Amino acid sequence: MLFLILSILCSVIVGVIFKISRKYNANPSQIISFNYIAAITLCYFTFAPDLNALDNNAPLEIYTSVGILLPILFLFLALSIKYMGIAKTDAAQRLSLFIPILAAWLLFNEGFNTYKVIGVLVGFAALLFILKKPSDNAENKWIYPATVLFGFGVIDILFKKIALYTVVPYTTSLFFVFLIAFAVSILMVIYKFFIAKENFVLKSIPFGILVGIFNFGNILFYLKAHKAFAENPSTVFAGMNMGVIILGTLIGAFFFKEKLSKINILGLFLALIAVVFIFLSQL
């Protein structure tokens, strides 16, 4: 459970950094690139990954898929916020929980006991209540939040598959994924420089480094949590998403003065109940 809690903390801090960076007009695509520079550096000096350990049976197609999806999804996240608002984008990202939960049942042959079924059902209701917020944006471009929802759901599943491949150390796998993601993010920045005519924003560097540190911690502890709960991936899937929502909502309310409706508070209470049931399902 410690790895899961640490992953939740790192994930929420990444969101807080992005929220603060908007006040300083930092460039999101540049933040993403510097984020991967920091994450790659941490991964290299912390674990000394050996790319020679990648054998012919290594899931290179999964590494490549995750490396490409990670920075591109950040781009769709920005588009979704622009056209559909932060509330609906956040809802789409967290409701991606549906996809890996179903995958745990359909792909990983995980058995569901009564506690887990109750926890998941209550958790879905909690997600809907917590994320229920009014939006003044009537423009209906659902392709962006839909892409965010399915994209993050697929990434959750792919990280599970990476964690299950034990021949290559997962730290080496993580380093390889970061390299691919960095290459894709550089292509995105080059495109914005020469095609979209964006300027370099110096403030993007410190924000990118901070995001990279906590992004590294988030993914690292997330993979460790999956290894700890190898037979019960839905515990990590559900616990991660609900934990991020609970902590993120509380930080939003107390530090950023975001208002909570009665339905939001009910959702928080239901989410706590859901986490308890999912924990009981492991006993």
Side-chain angles (χ1 to χ4, degrees), residues 69-182:
L69 280 174
L70 280 173
I72 289 178
L73 274 177
F74 273 115
L75 185 60
F76 273 96
L77 200 71
L79 289 170
S80 182
I81 291 172
K82 179 179 178 181
Y83 290 109
M84 299 300 295
I86 294 176
K88 290 181 179 178
T89 301
D90 187 45
Q93 184 179 354
R94 297 311 168 191
L95 287 174
S96 64
L97 170 68
F98 282 95
I99 297 174
I101 285 288
L102 291 175
W105 175 42
L106 298 174
L107 299 181
F108 302 123
N109 300 317
E110 179 182 339
F112 274 37
N113 57 31
T114 303
Y115 286 121
K116 187 168 292 183
V117 171
I118 294 174
V120 169
L121 292 176
V122 173
F124 288 159
L127 288 171
L128 293 174
F129 287 152
I130 291 173
L131 298 172
K132 185 175 177 58
K133 300 176 183 178
S135 175
D136 297 328
N137 193 341
E139 194 168 3
N140 190 22
K141 293 192 176 183
W142 282 101
I143 185 64
Y144 300 124
T147 302
V148 169
L149 189 153
F150 285 106
F152 277 100
V154 169
I155 282 179
D156 274 351
I157 296 171
L158 293 177
F159 269 127
K160 168 60 181 173
K161 287 184 173 292
I162 290 175
L164 291 176
Y165 188 76
T166 57
V167 176
V168 178
Y170 67 86
T171 50
T172 297
S173 298
L174 184 62
F175 181 76
F176 193 63
V177 167
F178 281 151
L179 286 177
I180 297 173
F182 173 62

Side-chain angles (χ1 to χ4, degrees), residues 204-224:
S204 301
I205 297 177
F207 285 116
I209 292 173
L210 285 173
V211 168
I213 292 172
F214 290 101
N215 185 34
F216 171 76
N218 174 31
I219 297 176
L220 173 65
F221 293 127
Y222 187 66
L223 290 175
K224 282 182 173 287

Side-chain angles (χ1 to χ4, degrees), residues 200-274:
F200 178 75
V201 181
L202 192 62
K203 295 176 183 178
S204 301
I205 297 177
F207 285 116
I209 292 173
L210 285 173
V211 168
I213 292 172
F214 290 101
N215 185 34
F216 171 76
N218 174 31
I219 297 176
L220 173 65
F221 293 127
Y222 187 66
L223 290 175
K224 282 182 173 287
H226 267 304
K227 283 185 173 292
F229 292 96
E231 302 300 321
N232 294 281
S234 68
T235 299
V236 180
F237 292 145
M240 179 67 184
N241 283 272
M242 294 174 196
V244 167
I245 288 176
I246 293 171
L247 184 58
T249 303
L250 291 174
I251 288 177
F254 288 104
F255 292 95
F256 295 102
K257 307 303 179 182
E258 295 177 357
K259 294 182 179 179
L260 289 176
S261 67
K262 292 181 179 179
I263 292 180
N264 297 151
I265 295 173
L266 175 60
L268 280 173
F269 180 70
L270 289 176
L272 290 172
I273 293 176

